[in-house]
Amino acid sequence: TLIKITKKRELFENISRAKKEFIHALSLVGNSIAYDKIEDVHGPHKGIKISQGNELQSCPYQVLDIVRDFDFKTGLNVRVLHWWGRGAYFLVFYGENHPMLLKPNNLFKWLKFKSFHLCTTGLWDYKGIIDQKKVIPSSGLTLELLLNHLKGEFPFQIIKPITFDNLSMLRQKLEAEFIDLHAFHLEK
């Protein structure tokens, strides 16, 4: 029965250690990003924040928000989500009037080149985005689909799965994703 699992102290100690290791890895990523780089990407921000929980569709998760401006008109948020049983993801949200959305041709080329998927549901609908794959995959994204999405009802959010074999690799890949995003923003 399921009650027996509650008596496995070592299992829960290992889970606790693993959570702490992911939080530490996300802290290292956050601390590696210079404040001026965040300013380059999006001036009005609330800085870096790490959070975690145990019950996202019954699984633990850790989140690193790098920019934190959820204004639906002009905001930008860069989020790393590590969701147990699913993996790690790099998500970027742009408010509907964000300057980066004003050049859809450039945006389209960047999304294709960087293999981002376009989310087709609510910002925090991770079950829909990840489990139910409510995205337009990079391989199927066209300029026409992007333009239609920009005119539609859903917020603009992109997602990219981050594969890794160890936490050092995860940190390196996440730091590289932010560096690429920073470079894209400097191209404005």
Side-chain angles (χ1 to χ4, degrees):
T1 69
L2 289 178
I3 299 298
K4 288 182 183 179
I5 197 171
T6 64
K7 296 178 183 179
K8 298 186 183 226
R9 178 179 169 180
E10 186 178 344
L11 170 66
F12 290 98
E13 288 172 349
N14 287 338
I15 290 171
S16 179
R17 271 195 306 280
K19 287 180 190 178
K20 288 176 184 173
E21 287 181 15
F22 273 100
I23 290 295
H24 179 69
L26 294 179
S27 296
L28 291 173
V29 171
N31 291 333
S32 75
I33 300 170
Y35 188 81
D36 63 326
K37 301 281 189 221
I38 297 172
E39 289 282 313
D40 288 344
V41 170
H42 190 72
H45 62 84
K46 296 177 184 168
I48 294 172
K49 180 180 178 183
I50 294 176
S51 55
Q52 63 180 329
N54 292 314
E55 288 295 323
L56 182 55
Q57 297 296 311
S58 302
C59 292
Y61 65 93
Q62 293 81 36
V63 169
L64 167 64
D65 284 315
I66 298 174
V67 178
R68 288 196 319 132
D69 179 359
F70 291 104
D71 183 283
F72 278 84
K73 295 292 181 190
T74 59
L76 166 68
N77 190 66
V78 178
R79 173 169 282 186
V80 174
L81 169 66
H82 174 254
W83 188 8
W84 288 45
R86 274 85 167 180
Y89 302 88
F90 192 84
L91 297 109
V92 181
F93 155 74
Y94 289 113
E96 66 183 71
N97 297 323
H98 192 279
M100 298 310 288
L101 300 182
L102 299 178
K103 296 182 179 176
N105 288 331
N106 292 353
L107 181 62
F108 172 72
K109 289 175 191 169
W110 186 75
L111 294 175
K112 294 290 279 185
F113 179 69
K114 295 304 299 170
S115 300
F116 275 97
H117 308 310
L118 180 58
C119 300
T120 59
T121 186
L123 286 183
W124 297 282
D125 180 15
Y126 298 124
K127 179 180 179 180
I129 296 167
I130 296 168
D131 289 346
Q132 298 168 350
K133 307 217 181 306
K134 291 184 178 179
V135 297
I136 300 171
S138 174
S139 60
L141 185 62
T142 63
L143 182 57
E144 182 181 359
L145 286 171
L146 176 61
L147 292 171
N148 287 337
H149 184 80
L150 291 172
K151 295 176 195 169
E153 64 185 81
F154 289 113
F156 185 88
Q157 181 171 241
I158 54 177
I159 186 170
K160 183 177 190 177
I162 305 295
T163 57
F164 61 98
D165 293 326
N166 56 56
L167 292 178
S168 177
M169 180 188 290
L170 176 64
R171 282 193 348 251
Q172 290 171 358
K173 286 186 171 188
L174 294 174
E175 289 168 4
E177 288 297 333
F178 187 81
I179 288 168
D180 289 346
L181 181 71
H182 177 258
F184 176 60
H185 276 254
L186 292 180
E187 293 173 6
K188 293 180 192 177

